[in-house]
Structures are given as structure tokens and as C-alpha cells.
Amino acid sequence: MSSEHPIGRRPGDPEVTRAAVLDAARSMFAEHGFEKATIRAIAAEASVDPALVLHYFGSKDKLFVSAHQLPFSPEDVESAIFDSDLDGLGERIARFYLSALAVPGSPAVSLLRATATHEEAAEMLRTFIDLTLMGPGLETVPGPDRRFRMSLVASHLLGVLFGRLILGIPELAESDLEDIIRPLATTFQRYLTDQI
Amino acid sequence: MSSEHPIGRRPGDPEVTRAAVLDAARSMFAEHGFEKATIRAIAAEASVDPALVLHYFGSKDKLFVSAHQLPFSPEDVESAIFDSDLDGLGERIARFYLSALAVPGSPAVSLLRATATHEEAAEMLRTFIDLTLMGPGLETVPGPDRRFRMSLVASHLLGVLFGRLILGIPELAESDLEDIIRPLATTFQRYLTDQI
């Protein structure tokens, strides 16, 4: 153990360093929220250089996703959903989220359960929605009320996940996913591009 | 204490009897589910005559609602939502449920929290949905897939309640309820009466 590395980390062991940064990130995001938990503060908490955090994780968004083992990153959503024209936007959203999350073994189960009882988990899920559905790609949706429109979309997705995975409403839990995606796609397209 | 009343209840004290029936009902509904928990079994558990249970509560539906302090009964839903023609059905559903539940102090908060972590609460909420949205009034909705259509409606309502009350998505939590009811009403009408 070297005195230059007071918490006993061996220099040059990237796995140990990564794990320490992820621990620090989870605790800082939970305590201070996404905006106020800076890379600098997370690095300090993990006793590493801020440049190393960026070297390992690329950005605060990506660090957040890695720290919480979230199923996809803001970049995945950007390219799957927003990097095309508005036609078909509702369908892409319904398909992307439900294919990833409305399935057996979905990470949405533990996330929704935790959210219902822990404010830190709720903060995490709000941030995840902010970084993905409400991320920069949302600028492609016209109208000053685009965040409100997307919050209606988010509510419907949350409700399908809750009803299918947590509550176990038979008609939602046992239906073919395509039969759910189709009507939601039409609803989402209307919420995002029509008069509501 | 009379030997004819082995659990020490005083004859003719209706409040004590009511409370015993409600206790028995909660425990039997949680253990056996709504269908299998008969009035007869609940009465036996409470050491009262089945006729007395019906005298106090009127029906198993109403006993279920009373036992769980639910915010409204199947009859309330029937008359508020289904006792008119199909025009405006979506709007009536959105307005009735959100006015009752998407408000400060809503009983939906504890119900959703409990549902996320306790199977008995999930069973209770599934039964509540079955007795209200999926009750006899649903027969007014055309098509053999009416339960599936209504499950889409239920999912959206659940999601708005979860997003507004539990998760605290700002655009849902801070919006005027009318601004949420309007787009949901259109969606619900489409789900229940159009091609989906």
C-alpha cells in the first residue's frame, strides 16, 4: 500500500478506479441531483483526477447511465428516435422503449419499485427521462410546449410498464407487444405533432 | 363476556361488528383474491352471520371498497362514466379519475406505493380496476377486445398518476389538470371507439 494512494488503491488498476468513480457518482447524484453533482465533485469523492473520470466515461450523462446500470444511453435514444424526420416519431418512441423495457427481466421492474418508495430513485428516473425523452433531440418537436407534450408520452410509457410489469393487468401483461406498440404509436405521434 | 360470543364482542354493537367484518374482508381478499374470498368465508372469519355482512355492506363489491377505503365505488363509476352514450366517454373517464385521484392528498399515492412492493396491494388495485373501469358498464363499449382497449386507458391513467404524484415529473405535476384531461380524453375516446 502506497502513501500516495491513501485509500489503498493500486496505481494503474483501472477496474478499481472505475468502481470507485461509479460508487462516488451514485452517491453524489443521489445526494445532490444530476445538475449539482459535478464531475469535479465526483472525482474528489473518488480521490481521482476529473480528467480521468472523463477519460473513462466520456461525459456526465454517460457516467450517470453507467452508475445506475440503465438499459440505454441518451445517445442510443438520440439515434434511435430523433435522428430522422418527424414522421414515425411516435412509432419509434413506442417501439424503442417498450422493446427495451416491457420485457421479462426488464430493469424497469426494480427501477419502478424503487421509485415508488425512495426519493433518490425517483430523482434518478426523472433525470433519466430528462436526458433521454427530454434530451436535445426533443428540439426537433415543434412548439414551445414540447416538454409538456413529451411528458404525456412519458406518462403513457410509464403506465404501460407499471401495468404490465408491476401491477400485472392481464390484458397488458399477456398481450403481444406489437398490439400495444401500434395504438401507442398513434397516440404519441398526435401528442408530439398535432393540436392537443 | 358471553359464551355465545366467543371473541368477546358485545351483541348489538354495530360499530364493533362492522370493524370485525372489515378486518376479516381485508385479510380474506388479500389472502384469496376477490373472486375466491366469499361473503360466507368473510362472515365466518368475523364470526358473524353472512346475512349481516350483506345487511351492513350491500354487496361484495361494496365491502371490498369499504375495506380498502377506496375513493369511490363501482356504482359511482357506473353512473359517472357509463350511464350515457358513447360520445364523450373518453372525456368522462379522464375527468372522473383524474379529478378524484390526481390531486393533493390523493389516496392513489399510498396505493401506488404499496402496489410497487406488495403483491396483496397489487391484487387489490387489479380488483379495483376490474370492478370499476372493467365492470359491467364496459359492455357499452363495442368489440370483443373491449377489455384490452380499456387496459390501454387504465395504463395511461396509471402513468399520469405515477408521473404526477410519485415521480414528480414537473410538466405533469405542475400542469393544470384540465390541460392533461383534454388530450387524454381524445386518446381514450379513440382507444374505446375507433380502430386501434
Side-chain angles (χ1 to χ4, degrees):
Chain A
M1 195 179 290
S2 154
S3 62
E4 290 165 68
H5 299 277
I7 61 171
R9 190 172 301 129
R10 280 176 300 145
D13 184 339
E15 282 313 305
V16 175
T17 307
R18 274 182 63 96
V21 171
L22 291 172
D23 274 350
R26 266 188 298 274
S27 108
M28 299 298 274
F29 284 136
E31 192 173 343
H32 303 290
F34 181 76
E35 291 304 329
K36 289 187 190 151
T38 61
I39 292 277
R40 180 174 299 274
I42 292 166
E45 176 83 7
S47 306
V48 301
D49 191 277
L52 198 63
V53 174
L54 286 173
H55 172 72
Y56 278 140
F57 295 97
S59 67
K60 191 162 82 165
D61 288 15
K62 287 181 182 166
L63 174 59
F64 182 86
V65 169
S66 299
H68 298 104
Q69 304 188 286
L70 293 170
F72 41 77
S73 72
E75 287 74 18
D76 296 334
V77 174
E78 191 82 16
S79 65
I81 289 175
F82 291 113
D83 276 359
S84 315
D85 61 18
L86 284 178
D87 286 350
L89 175 62
E91 209 265 342
R92 294 195 298 275
I93 293 175
R95 183 171 304 284
F96 181 85
Y97 277 88
L98 295 184
S99 301
L101 298 176
V103 292
S106 169
V109 173
S110 56
L111 194 52
L112 287 173
R113 282 195 206 286
T115 297
T117 48
H118 292 83
E119 173 50 27
E120 313 87 77
E123 162 71 18
M124 196 238 292
L125 183 51
R126 281 196 301 272
T127 300
F128 185 57
I129 292 170
D130 245 17
L131 293 173
T132 56
L133 283 176
M134 307 260 196
L138 184 58
E139 294 294 314
T140 61
V141 171
D145 59 347
R146 55 172 73 88
R147 285 184 66 92
F148 174 67
R149 289 164 176 270
M150 191 58 96
S151 77
L152 295 175
V153 171
S155 78
H156 207 341
L157 288 170
L158 283 169
V160 167
L161 295 173
F162 195 85
R164 185 172 164 108
L165 301 172
I166 307 287
L167 194 49
I169 296 177
E171 290 76 13
L172 292 172
E174 293 156 19
S175 288
D176 193 299
L177 212 49
E178 287 299 321
D179 291 332
I180 298 178
I181 290 173
R182 199 178 326 110
L184 262 63
T186 309
T187 300
F188 293 174
Q189 190 70 21
R190 187 174 69 80
Y191 283 168
L192 295 173
T193 64
D194 289 0
Q195 287 287 100
I196 56 170
Chain B
M1 194 182 290
S2 155
S3 62
E4 292 166 66
H5 300 278
I7 61 171
R9 190 171 303 130
R10 278 176 301 145
D13 184 338
E15 282 312 305
V16 174
T17 307
R18 274 182 63 96
V21 172
L22 291 172
D23 274 350
R26 266 188 298 275
S27 109
M28 299 298 274
F29 285 136
E31 191 173 343
H32 304 291
F34 182 77
E35 291 305 328
K36 289 186 190 151
T38 61
I39 291 277
R40 181 174 298 274
I42 291 165
E45 175 83 7
S47 307
V48 301
D49 190 275
L52 197 63
V53 174
L54 287 173
H55 172 72
Y56 279 141
F57 295 98
S59 69
K60 191 161 81 165
D61 289 15
K62 286 181 183 167
L63 174 58
F64 182 86
V65 168
S66 298
H68 298 105
Q69 303 189 287
L70 293 170
F72 41 78
S73 73
E75 287 73 18
D76 296 333
V77 174
E78 192 83 15
S79 65
I81 289 175
F82 291 115
D83 275 0
S84 315
D85 60 19
L86 284 179
D87 286 349
L89 175 62
E91 209 264 342
R92 293 195 299 274
I93 294 175
R95 183 171 304 283
F96 181 85
Y97 277 87
L98 296 183
S99 300
L101 298 176
V103 291
S106 169
V109 173
S110 56
L111 194 51
L112 287 173
R113 283 194 206 285
T115 297
T117 48
H118 293 83
E119 173 50 27
E120 313 88 74
E123 162 72 17
M124 195 239 291
L125 184 50
R126 280 195 302 272
T127 299
F128 185 56
I129 291 170
D130 246 18
L131 294 173
T132 56
L133 283 175
M134 307 260 196
L138 184 58
E139 294 296 314
T140 61
V141 171
D145 59 346
R146 56 173 73 87
R147 286 184 65 92
F148 174 67
R149 289 164 177 271
M150 192 58 95
S151 79
L152 295 175
V153 171
S155 78
H156 207 342
L157 287 171
L158 283 169
V160 167
L161 294 173
F162 195 84
R164 186 171 162 109
L165 301 172
I166 307 287
L167 193 49
I169 296 177
E171 290 76 14
L172 293 171
E174 292 156 21
S175 288
D176 192 298
L177 212 49
E178 287 299 321
D179 291 333
I180 298 177
I181 289 172
R182 199 178 324 112
L184 262 65
T186 309
T187 300
F188 293 174
Q189 190 69 22
R190 188 173 70 80
Y191 284 167
L192 296 173
T193 64
D194 288 359
Q195 287 285 102
I196 56 168

